[in-house]
Amino acid sequence: MADPMKGTPLEAFELPDEVFGLGAAELAYLLSRHETPAGERSRRLLMLDPRAAEDAALLAGASSLASRGWFTVKDDGSGETRSNAALVEYAVGAATRWTRIGLVGENVSQLDFAILVESDTVIALMQPRQLASWFIRLGERDGATGALVTGLVRERFAANAEAGVFLEVQTLEGSSNLAIRRSGAGFEALADVAGPGTGTGGVVDANGLQDAVSALYAEAVSA
């Protein structure tokens, strides 16, 4: 089957300034349009149950997108996503890198996470919410992913100095990770963590934190 991403007129859609939401059925439908390794990796990281790919669920997802004006059926019977849906579809279906951002509170029962999905042109920061919905913020990929993620880490510590952050960066070829927590006036940043007491690194200042995070993105990935 032809890949619907080819010819998607992304240049026609401006990136939204606001955060918006998509439900599980809507995301399942967008991902069902792409039988690609990237699409499968996105589906797994977004925790979309294979049952969400059943015909009735996909129809519900397409119907919901159509009600927003984000999906239309062309004269030849093929479907075309529009606006935010087209941008999300491209980001998750053509992704080249994923960052799982684990957010730990003062104890391990306080867990949350977000996923940063990067394609060659569009990035999507996605965070799960109630009833398998996802809050999404879109942006342009500009080569400054390390600085962007460092900013998210600093925001987390500004909100809760006792928190911890675990970053796992994945490509189709492999993965790397970094565990971060506050340590005095600086940050403890440990790379290649495989369990308690493992990892390499130590305490760094603010500049060292950005260097440690940016090292996760040093290797170029194919667009």
Side-chain angles (χ1 to χ4, degrees):
M1 112 181 207
D3 190 338
M5 284 189 297
K6 293 180 179 178
T8 299
L10 293 179
E11 66 278 3
F13 306 124
E14 293 185 3
L15 290 167
D17 293 328
E18 74 281 357
V19 173
F20 62 94
L22 287 176
E26 293 172 318
L27 273 174
Y29 176 73
L30 295 177
L31 282 162
S32 74
R33 292 164 58 83
H34 308 293
E35 297 176 1
T36 64
E40 177 57 34
R41 177 68 61 91
S42 293
R43 184 179 295 109
R44 179 166 60 82
L45 289 175
L46 295 174
M47 302 181 300
L48 288 175
D49 191 306
R51 290 173 296 180
E54 294 178 355
D55 290 344
L58 296 180
L59 177 61
S63 176
S64 180
L65 290 170
S67 71
R68 300 192 197 207
W70 292 355
F71 178 75
T72 58
V73 178
K74 297 188 290 187
D75 292 341
D76 63 3
S78 62
E80 179 180 73
T81 52
R82 305 185 62 79
S83 188
N84 294 6
L87 295 167
V88 173
E89 177 187 357
Y90 188 84
V92 297
T96 56
R97 185 163 55 198
W98 301 259
T99 303
R100 184 178 171 93
I101 306 170
L103 307 171
V104 183
E106 295 179 22
N107 59 71
V108 293
S109 66
Q110 298 173 320
L111 297 174
D112 199 358
F113 73 96
I115 294 176
L116 180 66
V117 181
E118 300 176 78
S119 70
D120 57 340
T121 55
V122 181
I123 63 174
L125 180 63
M126 311 177 69
Q127 191 162 19
R129 283 299 178 257
Q130 294 179 336
L131 301 176
S133 64
W134 288 81
F135 284 178
I136 303 170
R137 178 71 181 267
L138 295 172
E140 295 182 10
R141 186 171 182 178
D142 60 5
T145 305
L148 170 64
V149 174
T150 302
L152 296 174
V153 171
R154 288 175 174 159
E155 287 179 6
R156 178 62 173 175
F157 288 126
N160 182 355
E162 301 302 317
V165 178
F166 185 78
L167 304 175
E168 182 185 30
V169 177
Q170 298 185 21
T171 67
L172 293 176
E173 288 73 40
S175 66
S176 55
N177 66 56
L178 183 70
I180 309 164
R181 65 181 180 180
R182 290 302 303 261
S183 179
F187 305 87
E188 182 184 52
L190 298 177
D192 303 317
V193 175
T198 65
T200 60
V203 176
V204 297
D205 60 12
N207 291 332
L209 174 64
Q210 179 154 332
D211 290 342
V213 173
S214 295
L216 297 173
Y217 302 95
E219 184 176 350
V221 293
S222 58

